[in-house]
Amino acid sequence: MSDRRTFLKLAAKTAAVTAASTMLPRFNIASAQSRPINIGFIPLTDCASVVMAQELGYFKKYGVTVNILKQASWANTRDGLLSGDLHAAHCLFSLPLSVYSGIGGPAGRELPIAMVINNNGQAITLENSFKAAGGDPKAAGEIIRKLIAQGKAPTFAMTFPGGTHDIWLRYWLAHAGVPQGKVGIITVPPPQMVANMKVGNMDGFCVGEPWGGVAVAQGIGFTHVTTQQMWRNHPEKALVLNKEFSARKDEVKAVMRAVLDASAWLDSLPNRRQAAKVISASRYVNAPADVIQDRLEGKYEMGGTIGTRQFLGDQMMFSRSGQTSMPRQAHAMWFLAQYARFGLIKQAPDYEAVADRLLMTDLYREVAKEAGLKLPTDDMAKIKTTLDGLTFDPRRPADFVRAHPVPV
């Protein structure tokens, strides 16, 4: 009941935030009306704030004309942002970090992060031959190690090298005691995950909803662990910008205000039901509305031997009264540390410099103030992951890497 009360309190607060945001913005609307803005999205439930900002008229409210453009993959999204074909995108929080680090794109290229779009709501799905492991990563690790010893190493899919799903998958493998070089790790676009596992191309995958829920509904796999069970209220998707577009301040602020309004709207439970119907359409996510709605509401049929689990207040969250939205340096540094820990980069990065270069935290603070949102005070707070109880100190990232080697 405490989780339900927490969610209801958040819904009440976000309603107040929406009311407050109806005040006229302080930026120059006239200068933000000159050119259409192309915003990309991937067919995932967490595109909802961008889609609903369009559907509810919030972009128009702030004086910008926006084209919402469906993308086939995160690589396509990256290329569109780098070329300028996309001005902004619903994007993996760590994709700009991956590109800048040379893991998932041309090293040194900048894709600024304007704000975080959501927390939580991703999952690791395993095919049914692993169901004896239930929701226990250690038990899953035992099964995987036995398969490796038998010469039957499994293959797992994620969505983009160095992206959030890649890191959740590798983090889970490390906790399960599985050497990452002994299993297959492949890249598959989110909407293609279920079909690929159905034909046996991989044994499990990490992706955002609704594709974990769809796999359960179709009986081809089960939700082994959600990412909120790994790190409660972790950053997931972000509003990422083309570098040149990031200098068009009035337009960027208008887009941010619209997405903030939609985020607050989405954290009201009844509104989520409406959003599920809207984004389920073929032009958006193209998945069953009931599957989208259940997991948006925190009702998870996990499949396998686990049964039903209720998440309230730690399911996919879009606003949390503005606590979701600020891009935090500590979060960027955490992902960079995982790159070093998992051997995705050869040299330790300049953690603070990379975070400073890519996060538009000062602009977010300005927009949040205009929107009447309370600013979080945990920008450089320590992070304790739920899965393993490890604590990451952003002031000592290299110490974390040294203290927590991965199985080889």
Side-chain angles (χ1 to χ4, degrees), residues 57-128:
Y58 292 150
F59 290 123
K60 290 183 179 178
K61 169 185 171 181
Y62 291 107
V64 286
T65 300
V66 166
N67 300 319
I68 302 293
L69 304 175
K70 191 173 184 176
Q71 305 297 299
S73 67
W74 292 120
N76 283 6
T77 303
R78 172 204 61 200
D79 293 346
L81 287 168
L82 288 172
S83 69
D85 290 338
L86 295 176
H87 298 102
H90 151 257
C91 199
L92 300 163
F93 175 81
S94 61
L95 185 147
L97 302 168
S98 174
V99 171
Y100 189 82
S101 302
I103 300 166
R109 291 294 300 274
E110 295 178 31
L111 296 173
I113 300 171
M115 59 177 282
V116 176
I117 284 178
N118 74 289
N119 304 129
N120 310 323
Q122 322 300 296
I124 292 173
T125 300
L126 299 178
E127 58 100 4
N128 289 321

Side-chain angles (χ1 to χ4, degrees), residues 381-402:
K382 294 179 181 179
I383 295 166
K384 185 173 183 179
T385 43
T386 314
L387 183 71
D388 50 19
L390 299 184
T391 298
F392 172 78
D393 184 348
R395 290 176 175 80
R396 293 182 170 84
D399 290 352
F400 179 87
V401 176
R402 283 192 294 268

